[in-house]
Amino acid sequence: MGTIDDFATNFGQGQRVSQFLVRGSFRNAGGAGFSDILTEFYVKSAQFPASNIGIIEIPYRGRKIKMPGDRVFNEWSISVLLDKDNKMYDSFVAWMDAINSHSNVEQAGAAGDDLKEDWTISSLSPNGEVNSEVVMKNCFPTEVGTVDFNWETTDTIAEFTVTMQFDYWTKLGATT
């Protein structure tokens, strides 16, 4: 059994939850991607995405044998600060408009993979170096949440959530 000194040496400074950044690009109606470095500044919270292994149950004489099934990836949500020009909000809405507009059920020009982008979340060390990175492959937004305004709320910056779908994620530097 190790000592507290062993633990402290191996654990180091731990990972601070506030030391992260999110990078991603947006898509427009023509399918052209445009990068937005503001994601590094305005994404207030995010998380490494979850993945699950499904279960296949095989019945046999009143009992069930459980076998591992396919991997399933959950949706990914981020909280975004509303900047003074609503640039991030407008970018997500424009991306969703390219997928399916408010008034027309057809896609606005681009299709399929032309409407998807890879997004990355990185955990950072206290000196700003990347500790670990996860890349969500082929992301697209499925929900841009509400922005709440309220005269009674003071000393608060408006924010909204975005729910993204993606095909799978990879951890950079790890074998997959």
Side-chain angles (χ1 to χ4, degrees):
M1 181 190 293
T3 67
I4 189 73
D5 292 331
D6 294 335
F7 170 77
T9 299
N10 290 323
F11 191 74
Q13 294 184 23
Q15 178 62 55
R16 305 287 173 101
V17 297
S18 62
Q19 299 298 311
F20 73 98
L21 64 88
V22 173
R23 292 183 309 262
S25 296
F26 298 88
R27 286 287 171 166
N28 64 23
F34 62 96
S35 179
D36 197 335
I37 194 166
L38 297 180
T39 59
E40 294 183 21
F41 300 106
Y42 296 143
V43 174
K44 176 184 169 185
S45 67
Q47 62 283 326
F48 283 160
S51 71
N52 304 295
I53 300 291
I55 299 170
I56 301 169
E57 292 184 340
I58 304 167
Y60 178 75
R61 295 186 178 183
R63 305 259 194 295
K64 291 184 180 178
I65 298 170
K66 295 181 180 181
M67 303 290 292
D70 295 326
R71 183 173 282 213
V72 178
F73 299 95
N74 299 350
E75 60 191 23
W76 181 58
S77 295
I78 58 176
S79 294
V80 183
L81 297 172
L82 190 64
D83 59 285
K84 67 180 177 68
D85 298 323
N86 298 335
K87 184 173 170 45
M88 293 288 290
Y89 184 85
D90 292 346
S91 295
F92 280 112
V93 169
W95 192 355
M96 288 184 72
D97 281 347
I99 295 169
N100 192 285
S101 74
H102 289 234
S103 61
N104 188 349
V105 296
E106 297 175 359
Q107 291 181 340
D113 289 342
D114 290 338
L115 296 171
K116 299 177 180 180
E117 284 288 335
D118 294 349
W119 278 56
T120 303
I121 179 168
S122 305
S123 64
L124 305 175
S125 68
N127 63 1
E129 294 176 3
V130 172
N131 278 342
S132 185
E133 267 185 328
V134 171
V135 179
M136 279 70 61
K137 302 298 277 183
N138 303 317
C139 289
F140 61 96
T142 54
E143 180 182 356
V144 176
T146 62
V147 177
D148 294 326
F149 297 105
N150 183 334
W151 283 358
E152 294 179 350
T153 303
T154 60
D155 300 328
T156 303
I157 300 295
E159 60 185 74
F160 61 97
T161 59
V162 176
T163 302
M164 307 273 268
Q165 298 292 332
F166 57 96
D167 293 336
Y168 62 95
W169 59 261
T170 59
K171 188 165 185 327
L172 295 184
T175 57
T176 56

Tab-separated table of all heavy atoms in Angstrom, residues 40-66:
chain	number	residue	atom	x	y	z
A	40	GLU	N	-12.671	29.495	-28.211
A	40	GLU	CA	-11.715	29.335	-27.120
A	40	GLU	C	-12.030	30.263	-25.955
A	40	GLU	O	-11.680	29.977	-24.824
A	40	GLU	CB	-10.291	29.608	-27.614
A	40	GLU	CG	-9.796	28.606	-28.627
A	40	GLU	CD	-8.367	28.861	-29.047
A	40	GLU	OE1	-7.622	29.536	-28.299
A	40	GLU	OE2	-7.986	28.383	-30.124
A	41	PHE	N	-12.688	31.374	-26.244
A	41	PHE	CA	-12.963	32.363	-25.205
A	41	PHE	C	-14.388	32.293	-24.671
A	41	PHE	O	-14.611	32.517	-23.496
A	41	PHE	CB	-12.709	33.776	-25.741
A	41	PHE	CG	-11.295	33.988	-26.182
A	41	PHE	CD1	-10.987	34.035	-27.525
A	41	PHE	CD2	-10.277	34.122	-25.253
A	41	PHE	CE1	-9.671	34.222	-27.942
A	41	PHE	CE2	-8.966	34.302	-25.664
A	41	PHE	CZ	-8.670	34.357	-27.006
A	42	TYR	N	-15.352	32.025	-25.528
A	42	TYR	CA	-16.751	32.166	-25.142
A	42	TYR	C	-17.436	30.879	-24.719
A	42	TYR	O	-18.561	30.925	-24.244
A	42	TYR	CB	-17.543	32.830	-26.262
A	42	TYR	CG	-17.097	34.247	-26.543
A	42	TYR	CD1	-17.075	34.736	-27.826
A	42	TYR	CD2	-16.687	35.092	-25.515
A	42	TYR	CE1	-16.661	36.030	-28.092
A	42	TYR	CE2	-16.266	36.376	-25.765
A	42	TYR	CZ	-16.263	36.851	-27.055
A	42	TYR	OH	-15.850	38.128	-27.311
A	43	VAL	N	-16.815	29.727	-24.898
A	43	VAL	CA	-17.417	28.500	-24.387
A	43	VAL	C	-17.134	28.462	-22.886
A	43	VAL	O	-15.999	28.352	-22.450
A	43	VAL	CB	-16.866	27.244	-25.095
A	43	VAL	CG1	-17.405	25.985	-24.442
A	43	VAL	CG2	-17.238	27.274	-26.575
A	44	LYS	N	-18.210	28.608	-22.114
A	44	LYS	CA	-18.096	28.703	-20.660
A	44	LYS	C	-17.893	27.350	-20.007
A	44	LYS	O	-17.154	27.221	-19.031
A	44	LYS	CB	-19.358	29.354	-20.100
A	44	LYS	CG	-19.409	29.429	-18.604
A	44	LYS	CD	-20.727	29.989	-18.135
A	44	LYS	CE	-20.870	29.818	-16.640
A	44	LYS	NZ	-22.181	30.234	-16.173
A	45	SER	N	-18.565	26.328	-20.525
A	45	SER	CA	-18.397	24.996	-19.944
A	45	SER	C	-18.619	23.933	-21.008
A	45	SER	O	-19.371	24.133	-21.962
A	45	SER	CB	-19.354	24.773	-18.766
A	45	SER	OG	-20.687	24.731	-19.200
A	46	ALA	N	-17.926	22.841	-20.843
A	46	ALA	CA	-18.017	21.698	-21.747
A	46	ALA	C	-17.526	20.484	-20.965
A	46	ALA	O	-17.126	20.607	-19.801
A	46	ALA	CB	-17.174	21.916	-23.003
A	47	GLN	N	-17.523	19.343	-21.595
A	47	GLN	CA	-17.045	18.139	-20.936
A	47	GLN	C	-16.515	17.179	-21.976
A	47	GLN	O	-16.859	17.282	-23.141
A	47	GLN	CB	-18.159	17.462	-20.121
A	47	GLN	CG	-19.349	16.978	-20.930
A	47	GLN	CD	-20.299	18.074	-21.363
A	47	GLN	OE1	-20.499	19.036	-20.655
A	47	GLN	NE2	-20.863	17.964	-22.549
A	48	PHE	N	-15.624	16.289	-21.533
A	48	PHE	CA	-15.270	15.193	-22.414
A	48	PHE	C	-16.552	14.394	-22.623
A	48	PHE	O	-17.273	14.116	-21.662
A	48	PHE	CB	-14.195	14.308	-21.799
A	48	PHE	CG	-12.794	14.877	-21.848
A	48	PHE	CD1	-11.830	14.385	-20.992
A	48	PHE	CD2	-12.432	15.856	-22.747
A	48	PHE	CE1	-10.532	14.872	-21.018
A	48	PHE	CE2	-11.142	16.352	-22.786
A	48	PHE	CZ	-10.190	15.858	-21.920
A	49	PRO	N	-16.856	13.998	-23.841
A	49	PRO	CA	-18.116	13.314	-24.103
A	49	PRO	C	-18.122	11.880	-23.570
A	49	PRO	O	-17.077	11.261	-23.406
A	49	PRO	CB	-18.217	13.321	-25.627
A	49	PRO	CG	-16.797	13.359	-26.075
A	49	PRO	CD	-16.057	14.172	-25.050
A	50	ALA	N	-19.329	11.395	-23.323
A	50	ALA	CA	-19.496	10.023	-22.838
A	50	ALA	C	-19.582	9.058	-24.010
A	50	ALA	O	-19.886	9.456	-25.139
A	50	ALA	CB	-20.770	9.928	-22.002
A	51	SER	N	-19.294	7.813	-23.738
A	51	SER	CA	-19.593	6.745	-24.687
A	51	SER	C	-19.990	5.527	-23.874
A	51	SER	O	-19.567	5.356	-22.731
A	51	SER	CB	-18.403	6.437	-25.597
A	51	SER	OG	-17.369	5.803	-24.885
A	52	ASN	N	-20.831	4.720	-24.449
A	52	ASN	CA	-21.355	3.564	-23.744
A	52	ASN	C	-21.268	2.339	-24.635
A	52	ASN	O	-21.396	2.446	-25.849
A	52	ASN	CB	-22.832	3.784	-23.379
A	52	ASN	CG	-23.028	5.037	-22.560
A	52	ASN	OD1	-22.559	5.124	-21.455
A	52	ASN	ND2	-23.697	6.018	-23.135
A	53	ILE	N	-21.093	1.204	-24.010
A	53	ILE	CA	-21.183	-0.070	-24.718
A	53	ILE	C	-22.572	-0.633	-24.429
A	53	ILE	O	-22.947	-0.808	-23.267
A	53	ILE	CB	-20.104	-1.073	-24.250
A	53	ILE	CG1	-18.704	-0.522	-24.498
A	53	ILE	CG2	-20.304	-2.435	-24.908
A	53	ILE	CD1	-18.311	-0.430	-25.946
A	54	GLY	N	-23.319	-0.883	-25.494
A	54	GLY	CA	-24.644	-1.469	-25.341
A	54	GLY	C	-24.556	-2.906	-24.863
A	54	GLY	O	-23.492	-3.523	-24.860
A	55	ILE	N	-25.688	-3.422	-24.435
A	55	ILE	CA	-25.741	-4.791	-23.931
A	55	ILE	C	-26.705	-5.597	-24.792
A	55	ILE	O	-27.824	-5.160	-25.065
A	55	ILE	CB	-26.210	-4.821	-22.462
A	55	ILE	CG1	-25.222	-4.052	-21.590
A	55	ILE	CG2	-26.369	-6.250	-21.966
A	55	ILE	CD1	-25.718	-3.823	-20.178
A	56	ILE	N	-26.270	-6.774	-25.207
A	56	ILE	CA	-27.126	-7.713	-25.921
A	56	ILE	C	-27.498	-8.800	-24.923
A	56	ILE	O	-26.621	-9.480	-24.382
A	56	ILE	CB	-26.398	-8.333	-27.128
A	56	ILE	CG1	-25.945	-7.237	-28.093
A	56	ILE	CG2	-27.286	-9.356	-27.811
A	56	ILE	CD1	-24.990	-7.739	-29.159
A	57	GLU	N	-28.796	-8.926	-24.648
A	57	GLU	CA	-29.246	-9.950	-23.718
A	57	GLU	C	-29.752	-11.158	-24.504
A	57	GLU	O	-30.595	-11.021	-25.391
A	57	GLU	CB	-30.350	-9.413	-22.818
A	57	GLU	CG	-29.848	-8.360	-21.850
A	57	GLU	CD	-30.911	-7.893	-20.875
A	57	GLU	OE1	-32.115	-8.083	-21.146
A	57	GLU	OE2	-30.535	-7.341	-19.838
A	58	ILE	N	-29.226	-12.316	-24.170
A	58	ILE	CA	-29.606	-13.553	-24.843
A	58	ILE	C	-30.330	-14.426	-23.821
A	58	ILE	O	-29.719	-14.870	-22.835
A	58	ILE	CB	-28.360	-14.277	-25.399
A	58	ILE	CG1	-27.584	-13.333	-26.317
A	58	ILE	CG2	-28.760	-15.554	-26.112
A	58	ILE	CD1	-26.209	-13.808	-26.663
A	59	PRO	N	-31.630	-14.647	-24.022
A	59	PRO	CA	-32.366	-15.463	-23.051
A	59	PRO	C	-32.048	-16.952	-23.218
A	59	PRO	O	-31.888	-17.454	-24.331
A	59	PRO	CB	-33.828	-15.170	-23.387
A	59	PRO	CG	-33.825	-14.728	-24.804
A	59	PRO	CD	-32.476	-14.110	-25.068
A	60	TYR	N	-31.954	-17.632	-22.095
A	60	TYR	CA	-31.749	-19.086	-22.098
A	60	TYR	C	-32.398	-19.655	-20.840
A	60	TYR	O	-31.948	-19.382	-19.729
A	60	TYR	CB	-30.255	-19.424	-22.136
A	60	TYR	CG	-29.993	-20.908	-22.087
A	60	TYR	CD1	-30.212	-21.703	-23.203
A	60	TYR	CD2	-29.559	-21.511	-20.911
A	60	TYR	CE1	-29.988	-23.066	-23.154
A	60	TYR	CE2	-29.334	-22.867	-20.847
A	60	TYR	CZ	-29.553	-23.653	-21.975
A	60	TYR	OH	-29.341	-25.007	-21.924
A	61	ARG	N	-33.466	-20.397	-21.004
A	61	ARG	CA	-34.163	-21.108	-19.934
A	61	ARG	C	-34.444	-20.227	-18.715
A	61	ARG	O	-34.124	-20.567	-17.575
A	61	ARG	CB	-33.377	-22.346	-19.518
A	61	ARG	CG	-33.287	-23.385	-20.609
A	61	ARG	CD	-32.630	-24.635	-20.078
A	61	ARG	NE	-32.594	-25.650	-21.123
A	61	ARG	CZ	-32.140	-26.844	-20.938
A	61	ARG	NH1	-31.661	-27.212	-19.765
A	61	ARG	NH2	-32.147	-27.714	-21.920
A	62	GLY	N	-35.001	-19.059	-18.975
A	62	GLY	CA	-35.370	-18.176	-17.870
A	62	GLY	C	-34.251	-17.293	-17.354
A	62	GLY	O	-34.450	-16.501	-16.447
A	63	ARG	N	-33.087	-17.425	-17.918
A	63	ARG	CA	-31.957	-16.584	-17.523
A	63	ARG	C	-31.528	-15.763	-18.732
A	63	ARG	O	-31.857	-16.083	-19.866
A	63	ARG	CB	-30.770	-17.438	-17.058
A	63	ARG	CG	-31.063	-18.419	-15.961
A	63	ARG	CD	-30.574	-17.857	-14.634
A	63	ARG	NE	-30.495	-18.780	-13.527
A	63	ARG	CZ	-31.502	-19.389	-12.949
A	63	ARG	NH1	-32.694	-19.274	-13.450
A	63	ARG	NH2	-31.338	-20.154	-11.896
A	64	LYS	N	-30.759	-14.722	-18.476
A	64	LYS	CA	-30.248	-13.910	-19.575
A	64	LYS	C	-28.734	-13.825	-19.475
A	64	LYS	O	-28.180	-13.534	-18.418
A	64	LYS	CB	-30.844	-12.510	-19.537
A	64	LYS	CG	-32.318	-12.512	-19.868
A	64	LYS	CD	-32.863	-11.120	-19.930
A	64	LYS	CE	-34.348	-11.197	-20.272
A	64	LYS	NZ	-34.962	-9.899	-20.297
A	65	ILE	N	-28.102	-14.111	-20.589
A	65	ILE	CA	-26.656	-13.952	-20.699
A	65	ILE	C	-26.416	-12.584	-21.314
A	65	ILE	O	-27.057	-12.221	-22.297
A	65	ILE	CB	-26.055	-15.051	-21.592
A	65	ILE	CG1	-26.305	-16.424	-20.981
A	65	ILE	CG2	-24.579	-14.801	-21.830
A	65	ILE	CD1	-25.970	-17.567	-21.906
A	66	LYS	N	-25.534	-11.843	-20.746
A	66	LYS	CA	-25.246	-10.499	-21.254
A	66	LYS	C	-23.945	-10.515	-22.034
A	66	LYS	O	-22.926	-10.995	-21.552
A	66	LYS	CB	-25.178	-9.495	-20.115
A	66	LYS	CG	-26.514	-9.332	-19.420
A	66	LYS	CD	-26.454	-8.319	-18.313
A	66	LYS	CE	-27.821	-8.211	-17.650
A	66	LYS	NZ	-27.838	-7.245	-16.582
